[in-house]
Amino acid sequence: MSVMTATLPPAAAVRSVADIRRDFPILAREVHGRPLTYLDNTASSQKPIQVIEAMNRYYREMHANVHRGVHFLSETATAAYENARLRVARFINAPHPKQIIFTRNTTESLNLVAYSWGRAHLKPGDEVLITEMEHHSNIVPWQLVCEMTGATLRYVPITATGELDFEALPRLLTERTKVFAFTAMSNVLGTINPVAELVAQAHAVGAIAVVDGAQSVPHLATDVQALDVDFLAFSSHKMLGPTGIGVLYGRRSLLEAMPPFLGGGDMIREVKMSGSRWNELPYKFEAGTPAIAEAIGLAAAIEYLEGLGMDWVGAHERELTTYAWNRLHEVEGLRILGPEPARRGGLLAFVLGDIHPHDVAAILDQDGIAVRAGHHCAQPIHDHFGLVATTRASFYIYNTPEEIDRLVLGLYKAKALFDL
Ligand code: 7TS
């Protein structure tokens, strides 16, 4: 290796977005005769060839059930599955891979905590605190467990700029609070919440902190030890990985003390007709044959993101978001929900005059532009703003300013069609 290459920045840092895009076969396709402009990354990201190939290779060369056979393939599959767990643990700086539970998605991870921890610990008089900006996945499980246990559910309100109302927090977060569950990044407002500070405040009153990382983990470097979170939930499919697998990170002492969530194979140590004893972590929480190929795909996705560097991922998205924020503000009659680019992640939910968000999305779709319209599984936050729906454009590593220009042109087209 020459001296020159040694002094260059890491190869990943100099990769162009055009080069990155070549790793994503789907981005080369056309939709309605136009190049695909994929701006629905908050709902789910696209997959690079490295992830697709890792899963194909697994099925072609390695598949067998895990943690069972002594035969070669079962041992190979088990090693690959457990290596994926290790990779996830390192990605979020978990102290031990045992603390990484594979679930189906963020929703299942949050349900696991609500049902297993919540049912064992909550009682009448206790309070569960969540926020008005939560996705339904971090609302409904708590509503259900509060109904079951007699605990009370409370919400941190939000301000006009779409941030948590920190002045209201001391009155809501009290010694009655047993759980404070909040999103690290809103999927509608884009708001990035100060996770470490909120966790510290939860701990100060003796509550556990449950963090919904569905939108933060794919976009921002995450260190569960620095944040001191008790639980962190996220989904593979939003971070270049396959659908069908998600993660729950948990503090070891809490996970050890929790009862199982689902019962069946793999999660037991011993089953007698009179009762059963549970397997150790993480298997206690992984009932049945797991999503093996998907875990391997997730590991490949993490490898891809690490190759780019999470700092680069964040910086690229901030640049795009600022560009989009400025360009969208040129469109008269358009209102963006949530805070300024400096305090938000790479997504912009907006309304365009009185045009229905579904109509906006349908017009954009005609030009091959994929955005999401609706309440984005976050009805309370839409209620807060007196809206039933918004249109949302969201960005990831492969998006470009040219795609945002196409979006803006599409919005002018919608305005012309609706005479706005
Ligand atoms: N939490 C947040 C903050 C989310 O944005 C989502 C998905 C979830 C939880 C649930 O993730 P899942 O993988 O279990 O489905 N959000 C969206 C969205 O905004 N549009 O489609 C899915």
Side-chain angles (χ1 to χ4, degrees):
M1 191 187 282
S2 74
V3 177
M4 253 193 73
T5 38
T7 55
L8 279 174
V14 295
R15 273 192 84 188
S16 68
V17 173
D19 189 25
I20 290 170
R21 288 179 72 85
R22 281 192 280 276
D23 288 335
F24 292 78
I26 206 168
L27 297 180
R29 69 160 293 173
E30 293 192 339
V31 168
H32 304 310
R34 310 292 295 269
L36 167 66
T37 301
Y38 189 77
L39 300 176
D40 194 16
N41 295 286
T42 296
S44 199
S45 75
Q46 297 301 348
K47 322 301 170 197
I49 192 72
Q50 289 83 344
V51 168
I52 299 166
E53 287 300 322
M55 294 173 74
N56 276 348
R57 201 176 323 120
Y58 166 74
Y59 278 126
R60 282 168 176 273
E61 298 171 16
M62 286 179 239
H63 175 70
N65 212 331
V66 292
H67 306 137
R68 282 162 172 81
V70 286
H71 65 80
F72 177 82
L73 282 184
S74 178
E75 283 176 358
T76 309
T78 303
Y81 180 69
E82 291 305 328
N83 183 52
R85 194 189 308 279
L86 192 61
R87 190 112 218 182
V88 173
R90 286 201 192 125
F91 186 61
I92 60 167
N93 195 28
H96 200 284
K98 276 176 191 281
Q99 294 166 268
I100 302 299
I101 316 291
F102 283 130
T103 61
R104 279 189 307 145
N105 45 40
T106 304
T107 303
E108 189 174 290
S109 297
L110 293 168
N111 273 273
L112 195 164
V113 179
Y115 280 87
S116 174
W117 191 93
R119 272 197 302 199
H121 290 88
L122 296 172
K123 54 183 189 317
D126 289 344
E127 292 181 2
V128 172
L129 184 62
I130 61 173
T131 86
E132 264 186 58
M133 65 168 80
E134 298 310 310
H135 185 279
H136 297 165
S137 297
N138 202 25
I139 300 175
V140 183
W142 299 113
Q143 288 177 334
L144 290 167
V145 83
C146 282
E147 254 170 51
M148 284 172 203
T149 60
T152 304
L153 185 60
R154 299 208 182 282
Y155 295 80
V156 181
I158 61 155
T159 64
T161 56
E163 288 166 287
L164 293 179
D165 183 348
F166 293 101
E167 281 174 24
L169 200 55
R171 152 173 80 73
L172 290 160
L173 190 59
T174 69
E175 72 285 353
R176 286 189 300 278
T177 314
K178 296 293 175 276
V179 182
F180 184 18
F182 57 90
T183 187
M185 189 195 293
S186 160
N187 67 321
V188 176
L189 305 167
T191 314
I192 297 175
N193 286 322
V195 175
E197 191 183 318
L198 295 173
V199 171
Q201 293 199 35
H203 289 167
V205 298
I208 62 159
V210 180
V211 177
D212 176 348
Q215 295 304 339
S216 65
V217 175
H219 306 282
L220 306 169
T222 303
D223 180 335
V224 289
Q225 295 188 66
L227 297 171
D228 203 23
V229 299
D230 296 297
F231 294 101
L232 174 75
F234 56 100
S235 296
S236 149
H237 70 95
K238 294 184 197 285
M239 51 189 286
L240 310 181
T243 55
I245 189 157
V247 174
L248 175 68
Y249 158 81
R251 193 181 293 285
R252 193 161 169 180
S253 55
L254 295 173
L255 289 172
E256 300 271 13
M258 277 157 59
F261 173 42
L262 301 171
D266 243 25
M267 52 70 70
I268 49 86
R269 185 183 303 281
E270 184 183 54
V271 178
K272 298 280 181 209
M273 283 168 69
S274 54
S276 304
R277 290 195 306 127
W278 318 132
N279 204 340
E280 59 183 24
L281 287 178
Y283 312 111
K284 178 170 76 174
F285 294 109
E286 292 183 4
T289 299
I292 309 164
E294 288 76 3
I296 290 163
L298 170 59
I302 288 175
E303 191 176 335
Y304 193 93
L305 285 171
E306 285 175 340
L308 296 175
M310 291 308 287
D311 289 345
W312 182 88
V313 173
H316 174 68
E317 287 174 22
R318 270 192 299 282
E319 218 170 279
L320 281 178
T321 306
T322 305
Y323 183 74
W325 172 273
N326 292 333
R327 292 263 20 228
L328 289 186
H329 273 112
E330 290 167 14
V331 183
E332 229 174 283
L334 186 144
R335 177 161 74 100
I336 298 171
L337 269 61
E340 287 174 7
R343 303 200 302 284
R344 66 154 69 224
L347 65 101
L348 297 164
F350 57 85
V351 284
L352 184 55
D354 56 2
I355 310 177
H356 196 286
H358 283 123
D359 291 331
V360 175
I363 292 163
L364 294 172
D365 179 58
Q366 285 311 304
D367 285 338
I369 303 168
V371 296
R372 185 168 172 194
H375 54 58
H376 318 297
C377 298
Q379 276 184 324
I381 198 66
H382 282 81
D383 289 346
H384 175 95
F385 286 103
L387 299 166
V388 286
T390 49
T391 308
R392 184 185 65 192
S394 52
F395 319 120
Y396 211 8
I397 54 171
Y398 35 68
N399 289 121
T400 64
E402 293 72 37
E403 290 181 304
I404 291 162
D405 293 342
R406 272 184 228 154
L407 167 70
V408 172
L409 278 178
L411 294 173
Y412 279 118
K413 203 167 173 181
K415 278 184 61 153
L417 275 167
F418 280 85
D419 241 349
L420 182 73

